[in-house]
Amino acid sequence: MLTWVDGHPQDAVPVADRGLQYGDGLFETVLIDRGQALAWDLHLARLRRGCRALRLPEPPIAALEADRDGLCALGPAQAVLKIILTAGGAGRGYARPQPPTWRRILSLAPAPEWPLAEYRDGIRVRWCRQLWFPDPALAGIKHLNRLTQVRARAEWDDPQIAEGLIRDADGSVVGGTMSNLFVVRDGALLTPGLRHCGVAGTMRARVMAAAAAQGLPVRETALSVMDCLQADELFVCNAVRGIRPIRQLGARSFAAGPVTRALQREIGPPWPAPGHGAGW
Amino acid sequence: MLTWVDGHPQDAVPVADRGLQYGDGLFETVLIDRGQALAWDLHLARLRRGCRALRLPEPPIAALEADRDGLCALGPAQAVLKIILTAGGAGRGYARPQPPTWRRILSLAPAPEWPLAEYRDGIRVRWCRQLWFPDPALAGIKHLNRLTQVRARAEWDDPQIAEGLIRDADGSVVGGTMSNLFVVRDGALLTPGLRHCGVAGTMRARVMAAAAAQGLPVRETALSVMDCLQADELFVCNAVRGIRPIRQLGARSFAAGPVTRALQREIGPPWPAPGHGAGW
């Protein structure tokens, strides 16, 4: 793991950092493939939206890109880049220093093991008891206040369960703890709208664009537990692990279907699978 | 400022700390008077509730008390001790390491300037546009996901405004960005219930106990803007600044009344005021 703080190799941040004190900041998890950051513009766009939502100035794009290039030049070709951008120094309690400062924290880790079976056959998923409560101003962005996901993820430790789905207080599914959910039904692609809560993943945007390009109707809509159980196909996605079919949700089994496969082909696997080459 | 991390003088934490990564932790802000931590048991009790809410094991009380004593022995007699307790090392994404670890981060700062006028005459307070959205499992505890308060506090920079009041989506007042609100009406003491959101301050508990001991009826109840504007007396309180009357809320002016004064006498000022001695 290589870590830079404000452009310098360093793996610690001051205790006074507002990211630690209040979660006053944003993050992005970017897939690096052959040294290149994938979907960079989508990650930047979400950072920009996040800054507006947090009432922070525009993110320091040029510095972030210099950090990214510097780290990627040193790291493995297949890697995961995590960017944390905090509101920096202490301020007076909840009041930020004026003008606000930034702290850039970038970590480059080797690509995680990538189980081909998860990509091909799918993953097991559970329902979380933890609910996702609304905060419309923060909905969609990737801020550092992530206790909803942490608490949901703490509900299970069975390594066979790869993801948990979180609902809102009305019982509509919001998404997974670390991925967005898609339902295929009657030839249409459905995914939860994220106006009240949830994270608008970059892979979610890519999947929606790819589906539309394939002529598939795509709709953001409320999805109940029943909608999921009655789906023709079901998958989750995120920037690092790509599209993973759901093969089991609670007691119900699914097979990865043609829509999921077509989208996987269009988006591509996260990395060339070992022994399968780039042409998998 | 003296800072210890896990019992050692140190003013930085690893980037991988879950407090920074996800806000996976809790904090307490404790008033130190003549070297002694005030209302320590109340702070500990809230930490314990917080650990349960976050699905973490019991907090490391003995170590925290050793840190507290060590720091207070080195620091000024009148001080503020901030304790941050995070879920420690990295884990796998949102999943905590098993068993969970702790990181203790304690900072001792000299007591802030304490304007006697704020204590005696009161403060100016505004309404925030930012709403406090419900998360019942996290209501009352002092976790590190504090973007609600940060965003509310970012709404003003007029140094004459000491606090902002935050409402919930139904229009009921939850509290200030850094304090709890009390309304005096018809001889009773009213304060927002905190079952859905908000922070249950240690000073709030002390004020409620003191009022009950004085024979005052005390009720947790929904309070509207109108309830505040029609109050006989209005004050906010927290552990560090004690009870501060509200002398102006939006366009409405208030005078510090007899109930507020009696509670201030009972609880005592946060520190002996300069030139006023401990007997103020």
Side-chain angles (χ1 to χ4, degrees), chain A residues 11 13 15 21-22 53 55 82 94 133-134 144-147 151, chain B residues 11 13 15 21-22 53 55 82 94 133-134 144-147 151 177:
Chain A
D11 58 8
V13 294
V15 163
Q21 298 275 329
Y22 310 118
R55 303 195 170 111
K82 180 160 180 179
Y94 292 122
F133 290 96
L144 293 174
N145 280 197
R146 299 272 69 127
L147 280 174
R151 292 179 69 246
Chain B
D11 58 8
V13 294
V15 164
Q21 299 275 329
Y22 310 119
R55 302 193 170 112
K82 182 161 179 178
Y94 292 121
F133 290 97
L144 293 174
N145 280 198
R146 299 271 70 128
L147 280 174
R151 294 178 68 246
T177 62

PDB file of all heavy atoms in Angstrom, chain A residues 11 13 15 21-22 53 55 82 94 133-134 144-147 151, chain B residues 11 13 15 21-22 53 55 82 94 133-134 144-147 151 177:
ATOM      1  N   ASP A  11       1.780   8.100   5.891  1.00  0.00           N
ATOM      2  CA  ASP A  11       0.611   7.252   6.117  1.00  0.00           C
ATOM      3  C   ASP A  11      -0.139   7.617   7.389  1.00  0.00           C
ATOM      4  O   ASP A  11      -0.838   6.787   7.972  1.00  0.00           O
ATOM      5  CB  ASP A  11       0.996   5.767   6.104  1.00  0.00           C
ATOM      6  CG  ASP A  11       2.038   5.460   7.158  1.00  0.00           C
ATOM      7  OD1 ASP A  11       2.331   6.355   7.976  1.00  0.00           O
ATOM      8  OD2 ASP A  11       2.546   4.333   7.165  1.00  0.00           O
ATOM      9  N   VAL A  13      -2.332  11.105   9.395  1.00  0.00           N
ATOM     10  CA  VAL A  13      -2.883  12.457   9.281  1.00  0.00           C
ATOM     11  C   VAL A  13      -3.010  13.035  10.684  1.00  0.00           C
ATOM     12  O   VAL A  13      -3.187  12.307  11.660  1.00  0.00           O
ATOM     13  CB  VAL A  13      -4.269  12.476   8.594  1.00  0.00           C
ATOM     14  CG1 VAL A  13      -4.167  12.041   7.161  1.00  0.00           C
ATOM     15  CG2 VAL A  13      -5.265  11.637   9.358  1.00  0.00           C
ATOM     16  N   VAL A  15      -4.396  14.477  14.054  1.00  0.00           N
ATOM     17  CA  VAL A  15      -5.622  14.213  14.802  1.00  0.00           C
ATOM     18  C   VAL A  15      -6.660  15.311  14.558  1.00  0.00           C
ATOM     19  O   VAL A  15      -7.869  15.049  14.549  1.00  0.00           O
ATOM     20  CB  VAL A  15      -5.281  14.100  16.312  1.00  0.00           C
ATOM     21  CG1 VAL A  15      -6.516  14.233  17.173  1.00  0.00           C
ATOM     22  CG2 VAL A  15      -4.575  12.771  16.582  1.00  0.00           C
ATOM     23  N   GLN A  21     -12.364  14.100  12.799  1.00  0.00           N
ATOM     24  CA  GLN A  21     -13.156  14.709  13.870  1.00  0.00           C
ATOM     25  C   GLN A  21     -14.660  14.608  13.605  1.00  0.00           C
ATOM     26  O   GLN A  21     -15.441  14.393  14.523  1.00  0.00           O
ATOM     27  CB  GLN A  21     -12.762  16.185  14.031  1.00  0.00           C
ATOM     28  CG  GLN A  21     -11.303  16.403  14.433  1.00  0.00           C
ATOM     29  CD  GLN A  21     -11.090  16.307  15.937  1.00  0.00           C
ATOM     30  OE1 GLN A  21     -11.977  16.630  16.708  1.00  0.00           O
ATOM     31  NE2 GLN A  21      -9.918  15.853  16.357  1.00  0.00           N
ATOM     32  N   TYR A  22     -15.059  14.805  12.327  1.00  0.00           N
ATOM     33  CA  TYR A  22     -16.494  14.903  12.016  1.00  0.00           C
ATOM     34  C   TYR A  22     -16.923  14.120  10.779  1.00  0.00           C
ATOM     35  O   TYR A  22     -18.096  14.175  10.406  1.00  0.00           O
ATOM     36  CB  TYR A  22     -16.870  16.379  11.787  1.00  0.00           C
ATOM     37  CG  TYR A  22     -16.391  17.307  12.864  1.00  0.00           C
ATOM     38  CD1 TYR A  22     -15.497  18.339  12.587  1.00  0.00           C
ATOM     39  CD2 TYR A  22     -16.836  17.151  14.179  1.00  0.00           C
ATOM     40  CE1 TYR A  22     -15.045  19.194  13.584  1.00  0.00           C
ATOM     41  CE2 TYR A  22     -16.381  17.999  15.183  1.00  0.00           C
ATOM     42  CZ  TYR A  22     -15.491  19.013  14.872  1.00  0.00           C
ATOM     43  OH  TYR A  22     -15.044  19.840  15.866  1.00  0.00           O
ATOM     44  N   ALA A  53     -22.561  19.698  -2.022  1.00  0.00           N
ATOM     45  CA  ALA A  53     -23.471  19.245  -0.961  1.00  0.00           C
ATOM     46  C   ALA A  53     -22.911  19.562   0.424  1.00  0.00           C
ATOM     47  O   ALA A  53     -23.662  19.851   1.350  1.00  0.00           O
ATOM     48  CB  ALA A  53     -23.731  17.741  -1.096  1.00  0.00           C
ATOM     49  N   ARG A  55     -21.070  22.084   1.054  1.00  0.00           N
ATOM     50  CA  ARG A  55     -20.791  23.524   1.117  1.00  0.00           C
ATOM     51  C   ARG A  55     -19.290  23.781   1.181  1.00  0.00           C
ATOM     52  O   ARG A  55     -18.807  24.612   1.954  1.00  0.00           O
ATOM     53  CB  ARG A  55     -21.503  24.181   2.301  1.00  0.00           C
ATOM     54  CG  ARG A  55     -23.014  23.967   2.288  1.00  0.00           C
ATOM     55  CD  ARG A  55     -23.756  24.903   3.227  1.00  0.00           C
ATOM     56  NE  ARG A  55     -25.188  24.807   3.008  1.00  0.00           N
ATOM     57  CZ  ARG A  55     -26.056  24.273   3.875  1.00  0.00           C
ATOM     58  NH1 ARG A  55     -25.646  23.817   5.030  1.00  0.00           N
ATOM     59  NH2 ARG A  55     -27.341  24.231   3.590  1.00  0.00           N
ATOM     60  N   LYS A  82      -7.693   4.672  -3.578  1.00  0.00           N
ATOM     61  CA  LYS A  82      -8.708   5.316  -2.737  1.00  0.00           C
ATOM     62  C   LYS A  82      -8.285   6.756  -2.487  1.00  0.00           C
ATOM     63  O   LYS A  82      -7.173   7.022  -2.036  1.00  0.00           O
ATOM     64  CB  LYS A  82      -8.871   4.568  -1.414  1.00  0.00           C
ATOM     65  CG  LYS A  82      -9.939   5.223  -0.523  1.00  0.00           C
ATOM     66  CD  LYS A  82     -10.482   4.304   0.553  1.00  0.00           C
ATOM     67  CE  LYS A  82     -11.547   5.041   1.381  1.00  0.00           C
ATOM     68  NZ  LYS A  82     -12.136   4.196   2.433  1.00  0.00           N
ATOM     69  N   TYR A  94     -17.426  22.841  15.047  1.00  0.00           N
ATOM     70  CA  TYR A  94     -18.032  22.489  13.766  1.00  0.00           C
ATOM     71  C   TYR A  94     -17.763  23.534  12.686  1.00  0.00           C
ATOM     72  O   TYR A  94     -17.913  23.250  11.499  1.00  0.00           O
ATOM     73  CB  TYR A  94     -19.544  22.295  13.946  1.00  0.00           C
ATOM     74  CG  TYR A  94     -19.876  21.078  14.788  1.00  0.00           C
ATOM     75  CD1 TYR A  94     -20.612  21.191  15.960  1.00  0.00           C
ATOM     76  CD2 TYR A  94     -19.441  19.815  14.406  1.00  0.00           C
ATOM     77  CE1 TYR A  94     -20.918  20.074  16.733  1.00  0.00           C
ATOM     78  CE2 TYR A  94     -19.729  18.698  15.166  1.00  0.00           C
ATOM     79  CZ  TYR A  94     -20.466  18.830  16.333  1.00  0.00           C
ATOM     80  OH  TYR A  94     -20.750  17.722  17.084  1.00  0.00           O
ATOM     81  N   PHE A 133     -31.621   5.766   6.405  1.00  0.00           N
ATOM     82  CA  PHE A 133     -32.525   6.880   6.652  1.00  0.00           C
ATOM     83  C   PHE A 133     -32.222   8.024   5.692  1.00  0.00           C
ATOM     84  O   PHE A 133     -31.096   8.162   5.224  1.00  0.00           O
ATOM     85  CB  PHE A 133     -32.423   7.316   8.118  1.00  0.00           C
ATOM     86  CG  PHE A 133     -33.014   6.299   9.042  1.00  0.00           C
ATOM     87  CD1 PHE A 133     -32.217   5.351   9.668  1.00  0.00           C
ATOM     88  CD2 PHE A 133     -34.388   6.247   9.232  1.00  0.00           C
ATOM     89  CE1 PHE A 133     -32.769   4.387  10.491  1.00  0.00           C
ATOM     90  CE2 PHE A 133     -34.950   5.285  10.052  1.00  0.00           C
ATOM     91  CZ  PHE A 133     -34.143   4.354  10.682  1.00  0.00           C
ATOM     92  N   PRO A 134     -33.234   8.810   5.390  1.00  0.00           N
ATOM     93  CA  PRO A 134     -33.056   9.834   4.354  1.00  0.00           C
ATOM     94  C   PRO A 134     -32.213  11.015   4.828  1.00  0.00           C
ATOM     95  O   PRO A 134     -32.238  11.381   5.997  1.00  0.00           O
ATOM     96  CB  PRO A 134     -34.490  10.299   4.088  1.00  0.00           C
ATOM     97  CG  PRO A 134     -35.199  10.063   5.377  1.00  0.00           C
ATOM     98  CD  PRO A 134     -34.582   8.829   5.970  1.00  0.00           C
ATOM     99  N   LEU A 144     -17.862  10.976   4.080  1.00  0.00           N
ATOM    100  CA  LEU A 144     -17.149  10.145   5.059  1.00  0.00           C
ATOM    101  C   LEU A 144     -18.019   9.739   6.254  1.00  0.00           C
ATOM    102  O   LEU A 144     -17.515   9.134   7.187  1.00  0.00           O
ATOM    103  CB  LEU A 144     -15.893  10.872   5.559  1.00  0.00           C
ATOM    104  CG  LEU A 144     -14.792  11.088   4.522  1.00  0.00           C
ATOM    105  CD1 LEU A 144     -13.664  11.941   5.099  1.00  0.00           C
ATOM    106  CD2 LEU A 144     -14.230   9.758   4.029  1.00  0.00           C
ATOM    107  N   ASN A 145     -19.302  10.042   6.221  1.00  0.00           N
ATOM    108  CA  ASN A 145     -20.206   9.625   7.312  1.00  0.00           C
ATOM    109  C   ASN A 145     -20.842   8.303   6.908  1.00  0.00           C
ATOM    110  O   ASN A 145     -21.943   8.272   6.344  1.00  0.00           O
ATOM    111  CB  ASN A 145     -21.299  10.682   7.548  1.00  0.00           C
ATOM    112  CG  ASN A 145     -20.838  11.865   8.378  1.00  0.00           C
ATOM    113  OD1 ASN A 145     -21.644  12.616   8.896  1.00  0.00           O
ATOM    114  ND2 ASN A 145     -19.542  12.050   8.498  1.00  0.00           N
ATOM    115  N   ARG A 146     -20.198   7.205   7.194  1.00  0.00           N
ATOM    116  CA  ARG A 146     -20.627   5.935   6.632  1.00  0.00           C
ATOM    117  C   ARG A 146     -21.045   4.935   7.694  1.00  0.00           C
ATOM    118  O   ARG A 146     -20.946   3.724   7.487  1.00  0.00           O
ATOM    119  CB  ARG A 146     -19.507   5.351   5.751  1.00  0.00           C
ATOM    120  CG  ARG A 146     -19.136   6.247   4.564  1.00  0.00           C
ATOM    121  CD  ARG A 146     -19.954   6.012   3.309  1.00  0.00           C
ATOM    122  NE  ARG A 146     -21.327   6.380   3.298  1.00  0.00           N
ATOM    123  CZ  ARG A 146     -21.936   7.159   2.393  1.00  0.00           C
ATOM    124  NH1 ARG A 146     -21.257   7.727   1.419  1.00  0.00           N
ATOM    125  NH2 ARG A 146     -23.222   7.367   2.433  1.00  0.00           N
ATOM    126  N   LEU A 147     -21.605   5.420   8.811  1.00  0.00           N
ATOM    127  CA  LEU A 147     -22.021   4.475   9.853  1.00  0.00           C
ATOM    128  C   LEU A 147     -23.185   3.600   9.410  1.00  0.00           C
ATOM    129  O   LEU A 147     -23.335   2.480   9.906  1.00  0.00           O
ATOM    130  CB  LEU A 147     -22.381   5.225  11.144  1.00  0.00           C
ATOM    131  CG  LEU A 147     -21.172   5.634  11.989  1.00  0.00           C
ATOM    132  CD1 LEU A 147     -21.601   6.490  13.178  1.00  0.00           C
ATOM    133  CD2 LEU A 147     -20.420   4.394  12.477  1.00  0.00           C
ATOM    134  N   ARG A 151     -22.616  -0.252  10.116  1.00  0.00           N
ATOM    135  CA  ARG A 151     -23.513  -1.003  10.996  1.00  0.00           C
ATOM    136  C   ARG A 151     -24.202  -2.135  10.232  1.00  0.00           C
ATOM    137  O   ARG A 151     -24.407  -3.227  10.763  1.00  0.00           O
ATOM    138  CB  ARG A 151     -24.518  -0.064  11.665  1.00  0.00           C
ATOM    139  CG  ARG A 151     -23.825   0.876  12.648  1.00  0.00           C
ATOM    140  CD  ARG A 151     -24.795   1.837  13.293  1.00  0.00           C
ATOM    141  NE  ARG A 151     -25.688   1.155  14.194  1.00  0.00           N
ATOM    142  CZ  ARG A 151     -26.995   1.028  14.031  1.00  0.00           C
ATOM    143  NH1 ARG A 151     -27.582   1.553  12.961  1.00  0.00           N
ATOM    144  NH2 ARG A 151     -27.712   0.399  14.893  1.00  0.00           N
TER     145      ARG A 151
ATOM    146  N   ASP B  11       0.467  13.160  17.660  1.00  0.00           N
ATOM    147  CA  ASP B  11      -0.639  13.996  17.187  1.00  0.00           C
ATOM    148  C   ASP B  11      -1.098  13.613  15.787  1.00  0.00           C
ATOM    149  O   ASP B  11      -1.660  14.425  15.059  1.00  0.00           O
ATOM    150  CB  ASP B  11      -0.299  15.479  17.267  1.00  0.00           C
ATOM    151  CG  ASP B  11       0.945  15.810  16.465  1.00  0.00           C
ATOM    152  OD1 ASP B  11       1.431  14.911  15.742  1.00  0.00           O
ATOM    153  OD2 ASP B  11       1.416  16.943  16.553  1.00  0.00           O
ATOM    154  N   VAL B  13      -2.765  10.083  13.366  1.00  0.00           N
ATOM    155  CA  VAL B  13      -3.298   8.713  13.369  1.00  0.00           C
ATOM    156  C   VAL B  13      -3.114   8.128  11.972  1.00  0.00           C
ATOM    157  O   VAL B  13      -3.066   8.858  10.978  1.00  0.00           O
ATOM    158  CB  VAL B  13      -4.796   8.666  13.737  1.00  0.00           C
ATOM    159  CG1 VAL B  13      -5.012   9.107  15.166  1.00  0.00           C
ATOM    160  CG2 VAL B  13      -5.627   9.472  12.781  1.00  0.00           C
ATOM    161  N   VAL B  15      -3.705   6.671   8.396  1.00  0.00           N
ATOM    162  CA  VAL B  15      -4.743   6.908   7.392  1.00  0.00           C
ATOM    163  C   VAL B  15      -5.792   5.795   7.423  1.00  0.00           C
ATOM    164  O   VAL B  15      -6.980   6.030   7.166  1.00  0.00           O
ATOM    165  CB  VAL B  15      -4.095   7.023   5.994  1.00  0.00           C
ATOM    166  CG1 VAL B  15      -5.117   6.869   4.891  1.00  0.00           C
ATOM    167  CG2 VAL B  15      -3.355   8.356   5.872  1.00  0.00           C
ATOM    168  N   GLN B  21     -11.761   6.873   7.937  1.00  0.00           N
ATOM    169  CA  GLN B  21     -12.300   6.250   6.723  1.00  0.00           C
ATOM    170  C   GLN B  21     -13.829   6.317   6.666  1.00  0.00           C
ATOM    171  O   GLN B  21     -14.404   6.534   5.604  1.00  0.00           O
ATOM    172  CB  GLN B  21     -11.859   4.785   6.646  1.00  0.00           C
ATOM    173  CG  GLN B  21     -10.345   4.595   6.572  1.00  0.00           C
ATOM    174  CD  GLN B  21      -9.802   4.690   5.151  1.00  0.00           C
ATOM    175  OE1 GLN B  21     -10.490   4.344   4.198  1.00  0.00           O
ATOM    176  NE2 GLN B  21      -8.583   5.165   4.997  1.00  0.00           N
ATOM    177  N   TYR B  22     -14.480   6.109   7.831  1.00  0.00           N
ATOM    178  CA  TYR B  22     -15.946   5.979   7.818  1.00  0.00           C
ATOM    179  C   TYR B  22     -16.649   6.744   8.936  1.00  0.00           C
ATOM    180  O   TYR B  22     -17.877   6.670   9.040  1.00  0.00           O
ATOM    181  CB  TYR B  22     -16.327   4.491   7.973  1.00  0.00           C
ATOM    182  CG  TYR B  22     -15.615   3.578   7.026  1.00  0.00           C
ATOM    183  CD1 TYR B  22     -14.786   2.560   7.483  1.00  0.00           C
ATOM    184  CD2 TYR B  22     -15.763   3.728   5.650  1.00  0.00           C
ATOM    185  CE1 TYR B  22     -14.115   1.717   6.611  1.00  0.00           C
ATOM    186  CE2 TYR B  22     -15.095   2.895   4.773  1.00  0.00           C
ATOM    187  CZ  TYR B  22     -14.279   1.891   5.260  1.00  0.00           C
ATOM    188  OH  TYR B  22     -13.615   1.068   4.379  1.00  0.00           O
ATOM    189  N   ALA B  53     -24.760   1.020  20.282  1.00  0.00           N
ATOM    190  CA  ALA B  53     -25.432   1.464  19.054  1.00  0.00           C
ATOM    191  C   ALA B  53     -24.579   1.159  17.822  1.00  0.00           C
ATOM    192  O   ALA B  53     -25.111   0.861  16.753  1.00  0.00           O
ATOM    193  CB  ALA B  53     -25.743   2.960  19.135  1.00  0.00           C
ATOM    194  N   ARG B  55     -22.592  -1.304  17.589  1.00  0.00           N
ATOM    195  CA  ARG B  55     -22.280  -2.737  17.604  1.00  0.00           C
ATOM    196  C   ARG B  55     -20.792  -2.979  17.856  1.00  0.00           C
ATOM    197  O   ARG B  55     -20.150  -3.790  17.183  1.00  0.00           O
ATOM    198  CB  ARG B  55     -22.726  -3.414  16.296  1.00  0.00           C
ATOM    199  CG  ARG B  55     -24.211  -3.244  16.021  1.00  0.00           C
ATOM    200  CD  ARG B  55     -24.710  -4.165  14.905  1.00  0.00           C
ATOM    201  NE  ARG B  55     -26.158  -4.130  14.833  1.00  0.00           N
ATOM    202  CZ  ARG B  55     -26.863  -3.614  13.818  1.00  0.00           C
ATOM    203  NH1 ARG B  55     -26.259  -3.109  12.773  1.00  0.00           N
ATOM    204  NH2 ARG B  55     -28.172  -3.622  13.843  1.00  0.00           N
ATOM    205  N   LYS B  82     -10.890  16.374  24.915  1.00  0.00           N
ATOM    206  CA  LYS B  82     -11.678  15.711  23.872  1.00  0.00           C
ATOM    207  C   LYS B  82     -11.190  14.285  23.722  1.00  0.00           C
ATOM    208  O   LYS B  82     -10.000  14.037  23.523  1.00  0.00           O
ATOM    209  CB  LYS B  82     -11.588  16.456  22.538  1.00  0.00           C
ATOM    210  CG  LYS B  82     -12.440  15.786  21.455  1.00  0.00           C
ATOM    211  CD  LYS B  82     -12.753  16.681  20.282  1.00  0.00           C
ATOM    212  CE  LYS B  82     -13.596  15.931  19.238  1.00  0.00           C
ATOM    213  NZ  LYS B  82     -13.964  16.778  18.091  1.00  0.00           N
ATOM    214  N   TYR B  94     -16.030  -1.968   4.707  1.00  0.00           N
ATOM    215  CA  TYR B  94     -16.906  -1.632   5.822  1.00  0.00           C
ATOM    216  C   TYR B  94     -16.854  -2.675   6.933  1.00  0.00           C
ATOM    217  O   TYR B  94     -17.267  -2.402   8.061  1.00  0.00           O
ATOM    218  CB  TYR B  94     -18.345  -1.460   5.321  1.00  0.00           C
ATOM    219  CG  TYR B  94     -18.516  -0.257   4.434  1.00  0.00           C
ATOM    220  CD1 TYR B  94     -18.977  -0.368   3.126  1.00  0.00           C
ATOM    221  CD2 TYR B  94     -18.214   1.011   4.908  1.00  0.00           C
ATOM    222  CE1 TYR B  94     -19.117   0.743   2.316  1.00  0.00           C
ATOM    223  CE2 TYR B  94     -18.348   2.135   4.109  1.00  0.00           C
ATOM    224  CZ  TYR B  94     -18.805   1.985   2.815  1.00  0.00           C
ATOM    225  OH  TYR B  94     -18.944   3.095   2.012  1.00  0.00           O
ATOM    226  N   PHE B 133     -32.126  14.784  10.105  1.00  0.00           N
ATOM    227  CA  PHE B 133     -32.924  13.647   9.665  1.00  0.00           C
ATOM    228  C   PHE B 133     -32.817  12.518  10.675  1.00  0.00           C
ATOM    229  O   PHE B 133     -31.816  12.404  11.381  1.00  0.00           O
ATOM    230  CB  PHE B 133     -32.497  13.223   8.260  1.00  0.00           C
ATOM    231  CG  PHE B 133     -32.911  14.234   7.234  1.00  0.00           C
ATOM    232  CD1 PHE B 133     -32.019  15.192   6.784  1.00  0.00           C
ATOM    233  CD2 PHE B 133     -34.218  14.264   6.764  1.00  0.00           C
ATOM    234  CE1 PHE B 133     -32.411  16.154   5.863  1.00  0.00           C
ATOM    235  CE2 PHE B 133     -34.614  15.219   5.849  1.00  0.00           C
ATOM    236  CZ  PHE B 133     -33.710  16.167   5.392  1.00  0.00           C
ATOM    237  N   PRO B 134     -33.851  11.687  10.758  1.00  0.00           N
ATOM    238  CA  PRO B 134     -33.882  10.668  11.805  1.00  0.00           C
ATOM    239  C   PRO B 134     -32.925   9.525  11.525  1.00  0.00           C
ATOM    240  O   PRO B 134     -32.673   9.172  10.373  1.00  0.00           O
ATOM    241  CB  PRO B 134     -35.328  10.169  11.756  1.00  0.00           C
ATOM    242  CG  PRO B 134     -35.749  10.386  10.351  1.00  0.00           C
ATOM    243  CD  PRO B 134     -35.047  11.644   9.897  1.00  0.00           C
ATOM    244  N   LEU B 144     -19.061   9.850  15.289  1.00  0.00           N
ATOM    245  CA  LEU B 144     -18.181  10.707  14.481  1.00  0.00           C
ATOM    246  C   LEU B 144     -18.785  11.090  13.132  1.00  0.00           C
ATOM    247  O   LEU B 144     -18.100  11.697  12.319  1.00  0.00           O
ATOM    248  CB  LEU B 144     -16.830  10.003  14.262  1.00  0.00           C
ATOM    249  CG  LEU B 144     -15.968   9.816  15.520  1.00  0.00           C
ATOM    250  CD1 LEU B 144     -14.726   8.975  15.201  1.00  0.00           C
ATOM    251  CD2 LEU B 144     -15.529  11.160  16.095  1.00  0.00           C
ATOM    252  N   ASN B 145     -20.037  10.764  12.887  1.00  0.00           N
ATOM    253  CA  ASN B 145     -20.703  11.176  11.627  1.00  0.00           C
ATOM    254  C   ASN B 145     -21.418  12.489  11.881  1.00  0.00           C
ATOM    255  O   ASN B 145     -22.609  12.504  12.199  1.00  0.00           O
ATOM    256  CB  ASN B 145     -21.691  10.107  11.169  1.00  0.00           C
ATOM    257  CG  ASN B 145     -21.039   8.921  10.451  1.00  0.00           C
ATOM    258  OD1 ASN B 145     -21.704   8.162   9.756  1.00  0.00           O
ATOM    259  ND2 ASN B 145     -19.737   8.760  10.620  1.00  0.00           N
ATOM    260  N   ARG B 146     -20.760  13.591  11.741  1.00  0.00           N
ATOM    261  CA  ARG B 146     -21.319  14.853  12.204  1.00  0.00           C
ATOM    262  C   ARG B 146     -21.532  15.841  11.064  1.00  0.00           C
ATOM    263  O   ARG B 146     -21.496  17.054  11.269  1.00  0.00           O
ATOM    264  CB  ARG B 146     -20.423  15.456  13.284  1.00  0.00           C
ATOM    265  CG  ARG B 146     -20.289  14.564  14.515  1.00  0.00           C
ATOM    266  CD  ARG B 146     -21.345  14.798  15.597  1.00  0.00           C
ATOM    267  NE  ARG B 146     -22.699  14.386  15.308  1.00  0.00           N
ATOM    268  CZ  ARG B 146     -23.459  13.604  16.084  1.00  0.00           C
ATOM    269  NH1 ARG B 146     -22.994  13.077  17.190  1.00  0.00           N
ATOM    270  NH2 ARG B 146     -24.713  13.346  15.765  1.00  0.00           N
ATOM    271  N   LEU B 147     -21.831  15.354   9.866  1.00  0.00           N
ATOM    272  CA  LEU B 147     -22.040  16.289   8.752  1.00  0.00           C
ATOM    273  C   LEU B 147     -23.290  17.140   8.940  1.00  0.00           C
ATOM    274  O   LEU B 147     -23.355  18.250   8.410  1.00  0.00           O
ATOM    275  CB  LEU B 147     -22.095  15.532   7.415  1.00  0.00           C
ATOM    276  CG  LEU B 147     -20.721  15.153   6.854  1.00  0.00           C
ATOM    277  CD1 LEU B 147     -20.869  14.292   5.612  1.00  0.00           C
ATOM    278  CD2 LEU B 147     -19.909  16.416   6.524  1.00  0.00           C
ATOM    279  N   ARG B 151     -22.653  21.009   8.361  1.00  0.00           N
ATOM    280  CA  ARG B 151     -23.358  21.747   7.311  1.00  0.00           C
ATOM    281  C   ARG B 151     -24.217  22.856   7.912  1.00  0.00           C
ATOM    282  O   ARG B 151     -24.339  23.943   7.347  1.00  0.00           O
ATOM    283  CB  ARG B 151     -24.190  20.806   6.440  1.00  0.00           C
ATOM    284  CG  ARG B 151     -23.298  19.853   5.636  1.00  0.00           C
ATOM    285  CD  ARG B 151     -24.095  18.883   4.801  1.00  0.00           C
ATOM    286  NE  ARG B 151     -24.788  19.542   3.729  1.00  0.00           N
ATOM    287  CZ  ARG B 151     -26.094  19.647   3.624  1.00  0.00           C
ATOM    288  NH1 ARG B 151     -26.882  19.101   4.533  1.00  0.00           N
ATOM    289  NH2 ARG B 151     -26.632  20.270   2.620  1.00  0.00           N
ATOM    290  N   THR B 177     -26.397  23.259  17.150  1.00  0.00           N
ATOM    291  CA  THR B 177     -25.339  22.496  16.489  1.00  0.00           C
ATOM    292  C   THR B 177     -24.414  21.859  17.518  1.00  0.00           C
ATOM    293  O   THR B 177     -23.832  20.808  17.265  1.00  0.00           O
ATOM    294  CB  THR B 177     -24.486  23.386  15.563  1.00  0.00           C
ATOM    295  OG1 THR B 177     -23.836  24.396  16.359  1.00  0.00           O
ATOM    296  CG2 THR B 177     -25.335  24.057  14.499  1.00  0.00           C
TER     297      THR B 177
END
